[in-house]
Amino acid sequence: MHRSSWMVVLMVAGLAVASGCNRSAEASGSAGRPQAEQPAGPSTGKSAIARLAFVDKADACECTRKNIDKGWSALQTVLGTGNSMPVDRIHMDTQADQAAPLLNQRKIVAVPAIYLLDANGFVIDVLQGDLQEPDLRKALQ
C-alpha cells in the first residue's frame, strides 16, 4: 500500500474511535482478528494466556452497543461454565485508569476489544471489533 493510502486508513480509523462506532473497522476486514504487532515487554516466544481483559464503553452508540453485547456473549459462550480464566471487564470511557495500561501497550481502533494477557500483565495479543466465537476459540487455544 502506498504511503498516502496508509494515511487515509489511519485517518478513518481515528475517526471511528472518536465517534465511538466501529463500522470502519468492520469494513476494513480487520474486525475480530488479532493485530500483527509484537507484544510489549520481554518475550521468550509465545507466552501462556493467564487472564483476559474485555474492553468496551459504558456509553456507546447503538451499533457499537450491539457489537459489545455480541462480543461479551461470544466470550461467555467460548469460556463456558466452570472455566477458570479470569476476565476483567473494563469500560474505557468510565474506567480510563484501568484501561490506560492496556492501551499504552497496544492501541485499539474498535470496541469491544479482548486483550490476552500473560501472568505479568503483558499483552500477548488483541482481538477487536466484530468478535466471533471461532476467532475467540482459536485465540484462546
Side-chain angles (χ1 to χ4, degrees), residues 90-104:
I90 302 169
H91 304 299
M92 64 187 289
D93 54 345
T94 60
Q95 298 171 305
D97 58 329
Q98 293 177 26
L102 299 172
L103 295 170
N104 287 337

PDB file of all heavy atoms in Angstrom, residues 90-104:
ATOM      1  N   ILE A  90     -13.630  -3.914  31.401  1.00  0.00           N
ATOM      2  CA  ILE A  90     -13.218  -2.530  31.624  1.00  0.00           C
ATOM      3  C   ILE A  90     -13.920  -1.621  30.622  1.00  0.00           C
ATOM      4  O   ILE A  90     -13.822  -1.822  29.416  1.00  0.00           O
ATOM      5  CB  ILE A  90     -11.685  -2.389  31.471  1.00  0.00           C
ATOM      6  CG1 ILE A  90     -10.964  -3.317  32.454  1.00  0.00           C
ATOM      7  CG2 ILE A  90     -11.264  -0.936  31.653  1.00  0.00           C
ATOM      8  CD1 ILE A  90      -9.481  -3.447  32.192  1.00  0.00           C
ATOM      9  N   HIS A  91     -14.633  -0.622  31.134  1.00  0.00           N
ATOM     10  CA  HIS A  91     -15.277   0.391  30.289  1.00  0.00           C
ATOM     11  C   HIS A  91     -14.259   1.522  30.091  1.00  0.00           C
ATOM     12  O   HIS A  91     -14.007   2.298  31.019  1.00  0.00           O
ATOM     13  CB  HIS A  91     -16.547   0.935  30.927  1.00  0.00           C
ATOM     14  CG  HIS A  91     -17.552  -0.117  31.280  1.00  0.00           C
ATOM     15  ND1 HIS A  91     -18.133  -0.956  30.348  1.00  0.00           N
ATOM     16  CD2 HIS A  91     -18.066  -0.473  32.474  1.00  0.00           C
ATOM     17  CE1 HIS A  91     -18.978  -1.762  30.951  1.00  0.00           C
ATOM     18  NE2 HIS A  91     -18.961  -1.499  32.248  1.00  0.00           N
ATOM     19  N   MET A  92     -13.685   1.622  28.905  1.00  0.00           N
ATOM     20  CA  MET A  92     -12.595   2.570  28.687  1.00  0.00           C
ATOM     21  C   MET A  92     -13.018   4.026  28.848  1.00  0.00           C
ATOM     22  O   MET A  92     -12.182   4.876  29.138  1.00  0.00           O
ATOM     23  CB  MET A  92     -11.924   2.339  27.319  1.00  0.00           C
ATOM     24  CG  MET A  92     -12.811   2.581  26.124  1.00  0.00           C
ATOM     25  SD  MET A  92     -12.043   2.101  24.560  1.00  0.00           S
ATOM     26  CE  MET A  92     -10.796   3.339  24.370  1.00  0.00           C
ATOM     27  N   ASP A  93     -14.310   4.326  28.717  1.00  0.00           N
ATOM     28  CA  ASP A  93     -14.755   5.713  28.863  1.00  0.00           C
ATOM     29  C   ASP A  93     -15.019   6.099  30.318  1.00  0.00           C
ATOM     30  O   ASP A  93     -14.934   7.272  30.670  1.00  0.00           O
ATOM     31  CB  ASP A  93     -15.977   5.993  27.985  1.00  0.00           C
ATOM     32  CG  ASP A  93     -17.134   5.035  28.218  1.00  0.00           C
ATOM     33  OD1 ASP A  93     -16.930   3.969  28.846  1.00  0.00           O
ATOM     34  OD2 ASP A  93     -18.254   5.328  27.753  1.00  0.00           O
ATOM     35  N   THR A  94     -15.318   5.146  31.179  1.00  0.00           N
ATOM     36  CA  THR A  94     -15.588   5.462  32.579  1.00  0.00           C
ATOM     37  C   THR A  94     -14.541   4.876  33.535  1.00  0.00           C
ATOM     38  O   THR A  94     -14.543   5.219  34.712  1.00  0.00           O
ATOM     39  CB  THR A  94     -16.975   4.938  33.011  1.00  0.00           C
ATOM     40  OG1 THR A  94     -17.024   3.521  32.851  1.00  0.00           O
ATOM     41  CG2 THR A  94     -18.076   5.613  32.194  1.00  0.00           C
ATOM     42  N   GLN A  95     -13.680   4.000  33.034  1.00  0.00           N
ATOM     43  CA  GLN A  95     -12.615   3.404  33.841  1.00  0.00           C
ATOM     44  C   GLN A  95     -11.270   3.596  33.133  1.00  0.00           C
ATOM     45  O   GLN A  95     -10.500   2.660  32.956  1.00  0.00           O
ATOM     46  CB  GLN A  95     -12.892   1.914  34.070  1.00  0.00           C
ATOM     47  CG  GLN A  95     -14.174   1.655  34.832  1.00  0.00           C
ATOM     48  CD  GLN A  95     -14.536   0.185  34.843  1.00  0.00           C
ATOM     49  OE1 GLN A  95     -14.651  -0.447  33.813  1.00  0.00           O
ATOM     50  NE2 GLN A  95     -14.703  -0.358  36.048  1.00  0.00           N
ATOM     51  N   ALA A  96     -11.015   4.836  32.753  1.00  0.00           N
ATOM     52  CA  ALA A  96      -9.815   5.157  31.970  1.00  0.00           C
ATOM     53  C   ALA A  96      -8.530   4.752  32.684  1.00  0.00           C
ATOM     54  O   ALA A  96      -7.572   4.325  32.040  1.00  0.00           O
ATOM     55  CB  ALA A  96      -9.786   6.641  31.632  1.00  0.00           C
ATOM     56  N   ASP A  97      -8.516   4.862  34.007  1.00  0.00           N
ATOM     57  CA  ASP A  97      -7.313   4.492  34.752  1.00  0.00           C
ATOM     58  C   ASP A  97      -7.006   3.003  34.642  1.00  0.00           C
ATOM     59  O   ASP A  97      -5.840   2.597  34.644  1.00  0.00           O
ATOM     60  CB  ASP A  97      -7.433   4.909  36.221  1.00  0.00           C
ATOM     61  CG  ASP A  97      -8.644   4.305  36.924  1.00  0.00           C
ATOM     62  OD1 ASP A  97      -9.682   4.076  36.256  1.00  0.00           O
ATOM     63  OD2 ASP A  97      -8.561   4.063  38.138  1.00  0.00           O
ATOM     64  N   GLN A  98      -8.027   2.167  34.515  1.00  0.00           N
ATOM     65  CA  GLN A  98      -7.825   0.729  34.353  1.00  0.00           C
ATOM     66  C   GLN A  98      -7.512   0.369  32.897  1.00  0.00           C
ATOM     67  O   GLN A  98      -6.786  -0.590  32.635  1.00  0.00           O
ATOM     68  CB  GLN A  98      -9.053  -0.045  34.815  1.00  0.00           C
ATOM     69  CG  GLN A  98      -9.287   0.054  36.309  1.00  0.00           C
ATOM     70  CD  GLN A  98     -10.554  -0.656  36.728  1.00  0.00           C
ATOM     71  OE1 GLN A  98     -11.015  -1.578  36.076  1.00  0.00           O
ATOM     72  NE2 GLN A  98     -11.128  -0.206  37.831  1.00  0.00           N
ATOM     73  N   ALA A  99      -8.059   1.127  31.952  1.00  0.00           N
ATOM     74  CA  ALA A  99      -7.836   0.857  30.529  1.00  0.00           C
ATOM     75  C   ALA A  99      -6.469   1.351  30.064  1.00  0.00           C
ATOM     76  O   ALA A  99      -5.864   0.753  29.168  1.00  0.00           O
ATOM     77  CB  ALA A  99      -8.933   1.518  29.692  1.00  0.00           C
ATOM     78  N   ALA A 100      -5.944   2.404  30.672  1.00  0.00           N
ATOM     79  CA  ALA A 100      -4.704   3.041  30.209  1.00  0.00           C
ATOM     80  C   ALA A 100      -3.508   2.093  30.104  1.00  0.00           C
ATOM     81  O   ALA A 100      -2.809   2.111  29.086  1.00  0.00           O
ATOM     82  CB  ALA A 100      -4.358   4.232  31.093  1.00  0.00           C
ATOM     83  N   PRO A 101      -3.245   1.241  31.098  1.00  0.00           N
ATOM     84  CA  PRO A 101      -2.087   0.351  30.961  1.00  0.00           C
ATOM     85  C   PRO A 101      -2.186  -0.581  29.750  1.00  0.00           C
ATOM     86  O   PRO A 101      -1.180  -0.887  29.112  1.00  0.00           O
ATOM     87  CB  PRO A 101      -2.090  -0.453  32.270  1.00  0.00           C
ATOM     88  CG  PRO A 101      -2.857   0.380  33.237  1.00  0.00           C
ATOM     89  CD  PRO A 101      -3.867   1.125  32.413  1.00  0.00           C
ATOM     90  N   LEU A 102      -3.393  -1.010  29.426  1.00  0.00           N
ATOM     91  CA  LEU A 102      -3.587  -1.869  28.256  1.00  0.00           C
ATOM     92  C   LEU A 102      -3.409  -1.079  26.970  1.00  0.00           C
ATOM     93  O   LEU A 102      -2.701  -1.501  26.048  1.00  0.00           O
ATOM     94  CB  LEU A 102      -4.980  -2.504  28.286  1.00  0.00           C
ATOM     95  CG  LEU A 102      -5.270  -3.404  29.487  1.00  0.00           C
ATOM     96  CD1 LEU A 102      -6.731  -3.805  29.505  1.00  0.00           C
ATOM     97  CD2 LEU A 102      -4.365  -4.619  29.475  1.00  0.00           C
ATOM     98  N   LEU A 103      -4.043   0.089  26.908  1.00  0.00           N
ATOM     99  CA  LEU A 103      -3.963   0.923  25.709  1.00  0.00           C
ATOM    100  C   LEU A 103      -2.549   1.431  25.466  1.00  0.00           C
ATOM    101  O   LEU A 103      -2.159   1.634  24.319  1.00  0.00           O
ATOM    102  CB  LEU A 103      -4.939   2.092  25.821  1.00  0.00           C
ATOM    103  CG  LEU A 103      -6.420   1.695  25.862  1.00  0.00           C
ATOM    104  CD1 LEU A 103      -7.283   2.896  26.217  1.00  0.00           C
ATOM    105  CD2 LEU A 103      -6.854   1.081  24.549  1.00  0.00           C
ATOM    106  N   ASN A 104      -1.781   1.619  26.529  1.00  0.00           N
ATOM    107  CA  ASN A 104      -0.385   2.040  26.371  1.00  0.00           C
ATOM    108  C   ASN A 104       0.462   0.939  25.740  1.00  0.00           C
ATOM    109  O   ASN A 104       1.425   1.224  25.038  1.00  0.00           O
ATOM    110  CB  ASN A 104       0.217   2.465  27.712  1.00  0.00           C
ATOM    111  CG  ASN A 104      -0.316   3.794  28.179  1.00  0.00           C
ATOM    112  OD1 ASN A 104      -0.782   4.614  27.390  1.00  0.00           O
ATOM    113  ND2 ASN A 104      -0.270   4.020  29.483  1.00  0.00           N
TER     114      ASN A 104
END
